[in-house]
Amino acid sequence: RMYVRFGQSGVLALQAARALWRQPLPVLTATLGALMAALFPLLVAFPFGESDRLVRDGALALYFSLGVYLAAAAASGSLDRDREAGWAALVLSKAVSRSRFYLARYGGVLLVLALFSLCLGLAALLSGRVGSAHDHGQYGAGLGIGLSILAAHAAAGLANYRFGRPYASMAFGLLALALLAAATGPAIGLSGGAARAALAASAGRLAPALLLIGLALAVLAAVVMALSVRLPPAPVAAAGGLVFLLGLVRAPLIDRAAAAGNRAAAAAAALLPDWHLFWAADALSGGGRIPWDYVGGVGLYAVFYTAGMLLIGLALYRGRDL
């Protein structure tokens, strides 16, 4: 019986992810992010010896900002589309609990964010191949990203024309595969074992920063999902943006007011997520690394905060008239 329940949850999560993959927004944001990451190395006109940091931080900031937009948009409309199409009422009438349905929809959003994170993470890894002034690997990296985008969309268009496959979902999946091939292939400005060693070293330093941003997107999706139970998509997206902005100014403003004895600020500090915990790109400067202990601590914070928001969303969803 437990296996059947997990199977139901998995099917519902995949169905939710498939419905989101067929929307144009995920593939458009992933394509835009990869394309801009490819252009970063060419825009570093005056690096002053810090081209690595400029391109890396730019790619990570691009991943964070586009990911926030995609997480808010995907989570805000998932439950509302199910209700309007009658899918929620149909599934809940088939001995599927509201809790399982709600968590499965959140799982579908996470699957979309995971594929988006893979695309932007690989693009950031490739664009980070910028070296010093005598290193011309940045042009090969940008070319690899550009060719990956072109190949993915061309193959998706051909599959749509010849076999009737959905263009958006095909392009989204093929983009991730093409970027993975470009990242692991030899045509990135180096060759053979040297390329693989350089990429392994870059990936090892970049992986904690990418993982932290991915955790932030999962937290934001849980917040927006809870808000979407009672609000329509447009106000939910606005409220999610407000939560993100307040979380950004929490440390310099809200926490300081809370320390001064302001009760409203103390309550806001207890409720709002601290997004600064998820941005640790500055630790990578000068050949530094982000400690995995820090990633583990932030991961626990993200897990507990997400669990709390899911519980709030479940409590609200159980009383929702579908």
Side-chain angles (χ1 to χ4, degrees):
R1 182 176 298 178
M2 184 176 297
Y3 176 79
V4 172
R5 290 179 178 177
F6 279 112
Q8 286 180 345
S9 300
V11 170
L12 290 173
L14 288 175
Q15 190 276 335
R18 190 177 296 112
L20 290 171
W21 284 334
R22 291 179 178 177
Q23 301 295 322
L25 183 61
V27 67
L28 286 178
T29 52
T31 301
L32 177 63
L35 184 61
M36 293 182 67
L39 295 177
F40 274 144
L42 304 179
L43 298 177
V44 183
F46 304 101
F48 298 107
E50 294 189 352
S51 57
D52 284 332
R53 183 182 63 82
L54 292 175
V55 174
R56 181 189 63 243
D57 290 358
L60 291 176
L62 181 68
Y63 167 37
F64 205 169
S65 57
L66 289 178
V68 165
Y69 176 72
L70 179 60
S76 63
S78 180
L79 294 176
D80 193 69
R81 284 191 297 268
D82 291 335
R83 182 182 60 82
E84 290 182 353
W87 174 254
L90 177 63
V91 173
L92 293 175
S93 67
K94 303 297 182 180
V96 176
S97 66
R98 293 199 177 201
S99 299
R100 184 176 297 110
F101 183 79
Y102 183 88
L103 294 177
R105 302 331 260 181
Y106 176 71
V109 174
L110 288 186
L111 289 176
V112 173
L113 292 177
L115 189 56
F116 169 80
S117 299
L118 177 62
C119 293
L120 270 293
L122 291 170
L125 179 63
L126 283 168
S127 65
R129 284 301 306 145
V130 178
S132 59
H134 62 272
D135 184 6
H136 301 286
Q138 62 268 36
Y139 304 109
L143 182 61
I145 298 175
L147 291 177
S148 299
I149 296 173
L150 181 62
H153 284 273
L158 181 61
N160 177 262
Y161 176 74
R162 293 293 301 273
F163 307 107
R165 303 296 298 273
Y167 175 81
S169 59
M170 286 291 297
F172 196 27
L174 290 174
L175 180 61
L177 292 177
L179 289 171
L180 182 62
T184 56
I188 55 171
L190 298 174
S191 61
R196 288 189 291 271
L199 272 176
S202 299
R205 295 182 61 242
L206 199 61
L210 295 172
L211 181 58
L212 288 172
I213 296 176
L215 291 172
L217 300 184
V219 170
L220 181 63
V223 173
V224 175
M225 196 94 171
L227 294 172
S228 69
V229 175
R230 296 293 181 178
L231 297 175
V236 167
L242 181 62
V243 169
F244 183 74
L245 291 176
L246 290 176
L248 288 179
V249 301
R250 170 182 162 172
L253 296 179
I254 299 178
D255 288 350
R256 186 177 301 174
N262 190 314
R263 293 184 178 181
L271 294 175
L272 289 172
D274 189 357
W275 302 115
H276 292 280
L277 296 175
F278 301 94
W279 179 262
D282 296 338
L284 299 176
S285 302
R289 289 179 176 270
I290 300 174
W292 283 105
D293 292 343
Y294 177 80
V295 177
V298 176
L300 287 176
Y301 170 81
V303 168
F304 284 113
Y305 194 95
T306 301
M309 294 309 303
L310 290 177
L311 289 175
I312 293 174
L314 285 173
L316 294 173
Y317 194 65
R318 286 175 180 173
R320 177 72 185 272
D321 184 11
L322 301 177

